[in-house]
Amino acid sequence: MMSTFDAAAIAPFLEIRSVKSPAISPDGTLLAYLCDASGFNQIWIRPLDGGAARQVTDMPEPVGALAFNPKGRDILFTTDCGGDERHQLWLLPEASGQPVALTSAPGIVHLWGAWSPDGQRIAYASNARSPRDMDIHVMDLSTGMATCIREGDGMREVLAFFPDGQSLLVRESLRSGNDQDMYRLDIATGRLTPLMPHQGRARYLAARLLKDGSGGIAVCDQGSDFMGIRQFPAEGGETANIFEQPGSNVEALALSPDQQKIAFVLNDEGWSRIGLCDRDGDSIRMFEGHPPGVVTSLAFTPDSRSLVFPLEGAATLPGIWKLDPENGSFELLVTVDGAGADTGSFGEPLVERFESFDGRMVPALVYQPTSPPPETGYPVLFIVHGGPEMQWKPDFRADVQFLVSQGVMVVAPNVRGSTGYGRAWHELDDREKRMDSVADLRAIRLAIGARKDVNAARIGVFGRSYGGFMVLSALTEDPDLWALGVDFYGVCNFLTHLLATGPWGRQQRAAEYGEPAVMREALERFSPINRIARMKAPLLLVHANRDPRVPIGESETVYSCLSGLRHPCEYLRIDHEGHGFARIENRRKVFSAFARFLEKHL
């Protein structure tokens, strides 16, 4: 049977926009959020209770984080330049005025932190002193004067001001992003007080402080394989468990303004479930009724009566929702247009598990076309997530729904090293175990290829960032198994990657991959560039010129080598973008080339 794959049919899928990052004004009247209706993310606002939305920023670059002043309608937001992640801080007065630059040092990273309780100061981290190190700063907004209150080696971030405004809640990741510590930082003296002492490694995803100054709550895996909610005292000491769900991670939380309730998001095989409990962890209630999908944050309305959150699913377009916990009802506040795509045909994936080389069962999300398989079986595209400290989740992916509409089965594995399945699984690919994740991919590929409804000769692999490394490794370790590869901004050489990546993040990556001074021989073996001549499948490379995480030289080295070998390889270089494609015109260019490449080779 001839293929009916139509590359041009991807066009309407690429016009579907997104909404995300909702924030509520302190008086409860305004909803602010990010929307890319203009072509890339800008701030939009609308009345929380309903009414027309309007765009209130028109910056030349996409907006990143945003946060309301706790005492008014001013909005703090961030932008970088072309995706270089060297964010600058801006103030939007009264949620609709003319933006005012609070920092203007384009070569320096400013990592947004928190507003002071009185709305007069902000705190953030910056690498102004040293490119490799993030120091803590506090800025007085009335004068614009910033003071460095904590210097040190490595990565640190501000999570919150304590209620008295005299100290900060700080998270440090000096060893790795998987091995963190929490501190109280006194603004006047710079004194650090450990807040959650622990044995072994721990991660802290989120924290909220109690208004009485007695301490706070945090999402962490301290003393556990999975992320739960723990309470900690303000001066350090023993912590107490509030909530944990064996086998599942808590991924977000919100503390009600009246301090009586905790809302949380539970990860169930990648799908989000919203729960609510009392502050001591009692009276747990889980809510059903919203579409299946992924929730990345929660916020109470100021009256503590409702929750607002973003949600998107494999078959659900991005939107912002409200939950009334009293009656369990959900309301869609903001959503996007389907842009002409047949959204009614979008489908959810199924979770399947595949046995790997050591007997461990590896989960994967499988998206099955609704059309019957051709006589020769479905073509298949594997998509490997980045990170590797990430998880493939069933959020909305226009490329996936396009592929399924064209009769392509999509398989998205969560190989060892993925998050969402506990710390033990997360650490199974660290350093010298790097290639075990590639072995997981091989095992799933062989199992999928053995199915009667699959064409084993038409199976490709696609990945971004670390997923791009997995693509290059798959094509060079198992060259006979793959019909094509698509590598978006992937790592080909760990030694050059660690040398050229943004210096403020280098230690985080070296902790995952290994220090060159200690593991040079292993890193050379793990780097697919050193086995590039083994590749047989055609390859598409896409990379942007301002990528601070995986510098563009990684893809250009691969292209140069394959060109010299006269190997079929296409390379698309994108200007003024970073680690991804924020602008609609670039997404059109990239994914149109992606679709044409699949039409030709799959």
Side-chain angles (χ1 to χ4, degrees):
M1 178 181 293
M2 294 293 292
S3 169
T4 58
F5 191 97
D6 179 11
I10 197 172
F13 292 85
L14 301 180
E15 300 308 311
I16 298 174
R17 300 297 200 262
S18 73
V19 292
K20 62 179 184 178
S21 305
I24 305 167
S25 63
D27 61 7
T29 62
L30 290 181
L31 172 67
Y33 56 93
L34 296 182
C35 177
D36 63 353
S38 65
F40 49 84
N41 282 329
Q42 296 294 314
I43 300 175
W44 289 63
I45 63 171
R46 51 151 275 184
L48 181 62
D49 292 336
R54 60 191 178 96
Q55 182 180 334
V56 293
T57 59
D58 188 20
M59 304 296 290
E61 300 287 345
V63 173
L66 77 156
F68 272 106
N69 185 324
K71 293 298 183 181
R73 292 187 174 188
D74 296 346
I75 296 177
L76 188 293
F77 69 93
T78 67
T79 65
D80 65 3
C81 181
D84 65 1
E85 299 183 14
R86 292 166 171 86
H87 287 96
Q88 306 302 306
L89 306 178
W90 294 80
L91 187 67
L92 182 66
E94 289 296 313
S96 60
Q98 185 66 29
V100 177
L102 300 179
T103 63
S104 54
I108 293 173
V109 177
H110 300 85
L111 190 61
W112 166 239
W115 285 94
S116 64
D118 61 7
Q120 300 300 309
R121 294 169 295 159
I122 59 171
Y124 57 93
S126 168
N127 69 343
R129 176 183 59 87
S130 163
R132 295 173 177 81
D133 307 312
M134 302 299 290
D135 300 331
I136 303 300
H137 300 256
V138 172
M139 178 185 289
D140 185 323
L141 292 179
S142 65
T143 65
M145 181 174 294
T147 303
C148 180
I149 62 170
R150 174 68 181 174
E151 293 183 355
D153 298 337
M155 173 63 72
R156 55 189 49 80
E157 305 161 80
V158 176
L159 299 184
F161 273 84
F162 275 80
D164 62 4
Q166 302 305 306
S167 53
L168 300 172
L169 181 64
V170 174
R171 175 176 61 194
E172 290 194 344
S173 309
L174 305 187
R175 297 170 295 277
S176 78
N178 194 27
D179 187 7
Q180 301 173 323
D181 298 293
M182 291 258 283
Y183 296 95
R184 179 172 184 150
L185 172 61
D186 185 272
I187 294 174
T189 66
R191 181 172 65 92
L192 280 181
T193 302
L195 287 183
M196 302 184 75
H198 55 92
Q199 298 294 320
R201 297 179 176 181
R203 287 190 302 148
Y204 302 91
L205 290 187
R208 299 291 184 270
L209 295 171
L210 303 177
K211 292 179 180 178
D212 62 10
S214 63
I217 57 175
V219 174
C220 66
D221 62 356
Q222 182 172 310
S224 174
D225 196 36
F226 287 86
M227 309 293 289
I229 305 174
R230 298 189 71 83
Q231 185 168 349
F232 59 88
E235 297 301 327
E238 189 170 346
T239 64
N241 180 60
I242 292 179
F243 173 82
E244 61 182 1
Q245 178 71 42
S248 296
N249 276 340
V250 175
E251 294 192 326
L253 87 163
L255 180 63
S256 62
D258 64 13
Q259 305 274 282
Q260 299 304 306
K261 298 289 185 181
I262 298 172
F264 57 87
V265 176
L266 200 62
N267 179 336
D268 183 5
E269 295 274 20
W271 283 265
S272 295
R273 300 179 62 207
I274 297 175
L276 190 71
C277 64
D278 294 339
R279 206 173 88 179
D280 58 6
D282 292 337
S283 303
I284 298 169
R285 181 183 177 192
M286 303 303 298
F287 294 91
E288 307 291 341
H290 64 74
V294 179
V295 175
T296 53
S297 67
L298 290 168
F300 277 95
T301 52
D303 61 9
S304 299
R305 293 183 177 179
S306 302
L307 284 162
V308 174
F309 58 93
L311 181 146
E312 59 179 274
T316 302
L317 297 180
I320 296 171
W321 293 72
K322 184 167 73 171
L323 165 63
D324 182 341
E326 184 173 343
N327 58 28
S329 64
F330 290 89
E331 178 186 356
L332 179 59
L333 301 178
V334 182
T335 190
V336 297
D337 190 282
D342 182 13
T343 57
S345 67
F346 292 176
E348 293 283 330
L350 296 176
V351 177
E352 300 187 32
R353 284 177 162 76
F354 301 85
E355 185 173 356
S356 193
F357 67 97
D358 58 358
R360 288 184 169 90
M361 302 302 291
V362 184
L365 277 63
V366 179
Y367 299 75
Q368 185 93 2
T370 56
S371 58
E375 293 179 7
T376 55
Y378 291 118
V380 180
L381 188 68
F382 277 66
I383 306 183
V384 189
H385 66 71
E389 297 175 322
M390 291 176 64
Q391 178 186 13
W392 182 276
K393 296 181 179 180
D395 49 11
F396 179 72
R397 286 284 298 260
D399 55 345
V400 170
Q401 293 300 336
F402 161 70
L403 290 167
V404 173
S405 75
Q406 295 294 303
V408 177
M409 179 188 292
V410 174
V411 179
N414 281 311
V415 297
R416 67 191 67 203
S418 303
T419 56
Y421 304 92
R423 177 173 286 273
W425 184 258
H426 183 183
E427 296 180 346
L428 278 176
D429 72 335
D430 285 357
R431 293 175 296 280
E432 66 278 355
K433 297 176 284 189
R434 179 63 40 212
M435 302 308 287
D436 288 354
S437 58
V438 181
D440 287 344
L441 184 59
R442 176 188 307 122
I444 302 174
R445 157 61 183 87
L446 291 171
I448 290 290
R451 294 188 178 187
K452 293 182 179 180
D453 62 347
V454 164
N455 185 339
R458 299 171 66 198
I459 300 180
V461 58
F462 167 38
R464 309 187 194 197
S465 189
Y466 183 82
F469 155 76
M470 292 289 286
V471 169
L472 297 175
S473 291
L475 300 187
T476 54
E477 297 294 321
D478 300 295
D480 294 320
L481 293 184
W482 304 97
L484 63 84
V486 179
D487 166 16
F488 285 9
Y489 40 91
V491 177
C492 77
N493 186 332
F494 286 111
L495 297 176
T496 56
H497 169 57
L498 291 171
L499 179 67
T501 191
W504 60 91
R506 181 191 179 281
Q507 180 54 39
Q508 314 297 309
R509 293 167 178 82
E512 167 75 26
Y513 304 138
E515 280 285 357
V518 178
M519 286 185 56
R520 185 178 188 90
E521 185 176 340
L523 289 171
E524 288 178 342
R525 167 64 186 89
F526 301 158
S527 298
I529 194 64
N530 295 321
R531 300 164 72 80
I532 200 73
R534 291 170 51 87
M535 188 181 296
K536 295 181 179 180
L539 178 68
L540 171 64
L541 295 163
V542 184
H543 216 125
N545 67 335
R546 299 183 69 89
D547 191 332
R549 302 193 189 191
V550 181
I552 195 170
E554 294 294 301
S555 289
E556 296 195 334
T557 299
V558 172
Y559 182 66
S560 295
C561 289
L562 291 179
S563 296
L565 294 168
R566 291 183 291 194
H567 184 89
C569 179
E570 299 178 26
Y571 174 38
L572 182 59
R573 174 190 170 115
I574 302 297
D575 290 332
H576 204 73
E577 290 277 20
H579 201 63
F581 311 109
R583 299 170 185 270
I584 184 61
E585 64 266 24
N586 289 328
R587 293 198 297 274
R588 290 172 184 146
K589 183 184 301 183
V590 167
F591 284 98
S592 294
F594 167 81
R596 291 193 299 269
F597 184 79
L598 294 184
E599 183 179 51
K600 180 177 179 181
H601 295 289
L602 191 65

